[in-house]
Amino acid sequence: MQAGSPPSASHQQVKPSSTASSTGRCGACGPGFASPLDAMKGPREEILYVPCIYRNTGRNQPDFLATVDVNPESPNYCQVIHRLPMPNVGDELHHSGWNTCSSCFGDTTKKRNRLILPSLISSRIYVVDVGTDPRAPRLFKVVNPEDVFWKCNLGYPHTSHCLGSGEIMISTLGDPAGNGKGGFILLDGETFEIKGNWEKGDKSPPMGYDFWYQPRHNVLISTEWGVPKCLGYGFDPNDLKKGRYGCRLNVWDWTTHTYVQAIDVGEDAAPLEIRFLHNPDAAEGFVGCTISSAIHRFYRTERGDWAAEKVIQVPSKKVEGWLLPDMPGFITDILISLDDRFLYFSNWLHGDVRQYDISDTRRPRLVGQVFVGGSIAKGGTVAVCGDEELQSQPDPFVIQGKRVSGGPQMIQLSLDGKRLYVTTSLYSAWDRQFYPQLIRDGSVMLQLDVDTEKGGLTVNQNFLVDFGKEPGGPCLAHEIRYPGGDCTSDIWV
């Protein structure tokens, strides 16, 4: 066993808080839930918020925030019931976060009523009022890119997390000129004005992307995608092995806000989404590396620093008729169930969603897998010549008579862990390059039924949200949020 490796998750079960409501009711004692297990008892999701993108589609329309009805008892089930267009064209909405979440549980002065929408390309930050009418959000405030540039010397904002202080923190990919630079924008939680940079000191990582923090261990860890000006127009294989894609997990001291350690996870690995276990006592978690198609477990060592080990490798497939002779799985999103039992991730190019039992965090065990699109389906332009996992190429994915374009990308799990939602757009420039039919047809949202006892994933054939039928033309749907918070938005401290 590796020196300094903490016990597996089976020995770090999430404990209910003594302050929690036994019903898991949201909002009784401030925003969110007292503990991850209380959140699992929370209400079933009835609506979802989904950013929808028109950039790079050839349609001169602003991106919009879609409200989707997912209540099976509703006459509007699987329909977009409201659209909030942004006031500008070409923003590239991407991820979203909250003004406050479970990190502020117990503070009755706080209310989860504003959704934060950073724009990956324009660097605008939209603040959306979802409290006045959750089914019909309205624009509350716009933070202009000039403020981001001048006050923080940052650009290309990505992940937004609420802090226990009531502030809002947003990670960035680079500087205003499109060079790589890891940093964080700090917003006031009441006025949503930029307060400045979160980070302090002279050192900063060469790139940024996602982040997760855990005050109990005095740590924030951020990830790296790539240099923004190289990513903006698509994936160029010539950028590989030139330091233009990320290779590190970057460790920050939570108290001093300083950059203290870099953990190498492999050249051009492009580590994207990072998740600590939800149990705030657990000093470990997982990160998904896109280009290398690996899952690394990170953990605190006995020395007090941090380390990572690869625990899952998705083998590349030997192919013909594609950009390169080897096609990676392209792990683009990961999440962990609120009880820290299951890890889920999507392979955007291979086309499958996977479920792993992580009771032993050092030895994840594959227990569920389903193909819902991708680049290797039978009858397509790509022929698989060598495959370590499959005996034959999967069949094209068709649901309710529609052949799904693209591959599984963003995922979101219901609080009780029984439903996994999936959208199919990654990033408009890469969608256009890898899945041109996605630009023509628009993306979709799917729902997978989850076996939470033994593991297993099956497609719910009755669920389909088709963003190819939008009034403004087919669009690209990305990240998914629930009004009451979810397992990728809320952090327990």
Side-chain angles (χ1 to χ4, degrees):
M1 184 154 180
Q2 201 159 329
S5 179
S8 69
S10 58
H11 300 298
Q12 296 184 345
Q13 295 300 313
V14 182
K15 297 178 181 179
S17 169
S18 60
T19 62
S21 163
S22 61
T23 63
R25 183 163 58 95
C26 179
C29 303
F33 302 88
S35 73
L37 292 188
D38 273 357
M40 293 191 76
K41 304 170 188 173
R44 177 179 173 133
E45 67 283 357
E46 295 187 357
I47 58 173
L48 310 176
Y49 299 130
V50 186
C52 294
I53 293 89
Y54 277 114
R55 182 175 172 267
N56 279 318
T57 66
R59 302 172 187 93
N60 192 35
Q61 301 279 345
D63 299 346
F64 65 95
L65 180 68
T67 306
V68 181
D69 190 324
V70 294
N71 180 0
E73 306 302 319
S74 169
N76 299 314
Y77 183 54
C78 292
Q79 294 181 29
V80 176
I81 58 173
H82 186 266
R83 300 166 183 86
L84 175 65
M86 300 300 109
N88 302 281
V89 175
D91 283 315
E92 187 96 26
L93 297 182
H94 199 63
H95 284 209
S96 62
W98 293 106
N99 62 318
T100 187
C101 69
S102 295
S103 63
C104 291
F105 183 84
D107 185 345
T108 56
T109 68
K110 304 295 183 185
K111 186 176 181 181
R112 192 195 307 256
N113 58 5
R114 302 287 185 263
L115 188 67
I116 314 301
L117 284 169
S119 302
L120 190 60
I121 295 300
S122 72
S123 294
R124 287 186 188 90
I125 301 169
Y126 294 105
V127 182
V128 175
D129 175 2
V130 296
T132 303
D133 185 352
R135 301 179 74 85
R138 61 192 71 177
L139 190 61
F140 182 78
K141 183 182 177 69
V142 180
V143 179
N144 291 317
E146 297 83 19
D147 290 334
V148 176
F149 300 157
W150 286 105
K151 293 182 180 179
C152 300
N153 193 29
L154 295 172
Y156 307 91
H158 186 267
T159 298
S160 174
H161 275 305
C162 42
L163 308 184
S165 63
E167 297 165 310
I168 298 154
M169 187 167 162
I170 304 172
S171 61
T172 62
L173 273 67
D175 68 13
N179 302 301
K181 181 183 181 182
F184 305 92
I185 303 161
L186 201 60
L187 296 185
D188 185 278
E190 300 295 332
T191 66
F192 303 101
E193 294 291 331
I194 293 180
K195 299 182 71 172
N197 297 67
W198 175 84
E199 68 275 13
K200 298 177 182 178
D202 299 330
K203 295 181 180 179
S204 63
M207 300 176 201
Y209 186 72
D210 193 25
F211 74 102
W212 200 277
Y213 66 88
Q214 187 39 259
R216 293 193 191 185
H217 305 296
N218 192 37
V219 69
L220 179 152
I221 303 181
S222 60
T223 62
E224 305 179 337
W225 181 8
V227 176
K229 61 186 178 184
C230 298
L231 304 173
Y233 303 100
F235 174 75
D236 185 350
N238 292 321
D239 287 331
L240 298 173
K241 299 188 180 304
K242 294 180 180 178
R244 295 172 182 170
Y245 283 97
C247 64
R248 304 167 200 82
L249 305 184
N250 295 304
V251 182
W252 304 76
D253 184 294
W254 180 250
T255 304
T256 64
H257 302 192
T258 53
Y259 178 42
V260 295
Q261 185 188 352
I263 304 170
D264 194 324
V265 291
E267 185 181 26
D268 296 324
L272 294 189
E273 309 300 334
I274 184 166
R275 318 288 186 209
F276 266 85
L277 296 186
H278 295 289
N279 177 2
D281 287 329
E284 61 177 325
F286 298 92
V287 63
C289 298
T290 300
I291 298 175
S292 65
S293 298
I295 299 290
H296 291 255
R297 167 184 169 264
F298 61 87
Y299 58 94
R300 189 178 60 186
T301 73
E302 293 176 348
R303 297 183 302 272
D305 62 353
W306 294 76
E309 60 178 348
K310 183 166 67 175
V311 291
I312 300 171
Q313 177 66 61
V314 176
S316 294
K317 301 181 188 300
K318 299 288 184 183
V319 295
E320 293 178 352
W322 194 64
L323 182 67
L324 297 167
D326 295 292
M327 180 189 287
F330 234 61
I331 299 172
T332 49
D333 197 15
I334 73 170
L335 61 78
I336 298 171
S337 61
L338 287 168
D339 58 3
D340 290 336
R341 184 180 170 197
F342 293 114
L343 169 74
Y344 299 85
F345 66 79
S346 54
N347 284 310
W348 190 59
L349 290 178
H350 289 178
D352 58 316
V353 178
R354 300 191 183 199
Q355 176 191 23
Y356 284 79
D357 185 319
I358 54 170
S359 299
D360 181 347
T361 54
R362 300 197 68 212
R363 296 171 180 80
R365 182 169 57 89
L366 181 63
V367 293
Q369 182 180 23
V370 63
F371 282 82
V372 288
S375 296
I376 60 168
K378 291 177 182 175
T381 58
V382 175
V384 177
C385 310
D387 194 329
E388 296 180 28
E389 296 185 313
L390 303 177
Q391 299 299 314
S392 62
Q393 294 179 230
D395 292 324
F397 180 66
V398 179
I399 183 169
Q400 297 182 18
K402 179 184 176 75
R403 177 168 176 168
V404 170
S405 302
Q409 210 286 104
M410 296 307 298
I411 54 178
Q412 189 56 264
L413 190 65
S414 61
L415 296 179
D416 63 8
K418 295 180 179 179
R419 293 167 299 284
L420 188 71
Y421 295 90
V422 183
T423 56
T424 52
S425 165
L426 171 58
Y427 165 58
S428 66
W430 290 25
D431 292 347
R432 183 178 60 181
Q433 178 180 4
F434 289 108
Y435 293 113
Q437 67 274 26
L438 191 60
I439 303 297
R440 180 196 68 210
D441 299 341
S443 59
V444 301
M445 184 194 298
L446 308 169
Q447 187 190 85
L448 308 182
D449 292 327
V450 180
D451 185 334
T452 57
E453 297 298 323
K454 299 178 181 178
L457 299 172
T458 55
V459 176
N460 180 351
Q461 297 290 337
N462 296 319
F463 186 98
L464 174 66
V465 183
D466 187 354
F467 292 97
K469 297 179 178 180
E470 283 301 297
C475 65
L476 306 169
H478 198 65
E479 194 184 41
I480 302 159
R481 285 276 172 253
Y482 307 145
D486 48 63
C487 63
T488 59
S489 70
D490 281 36
I491 295 175
W492 282 267
V493 297

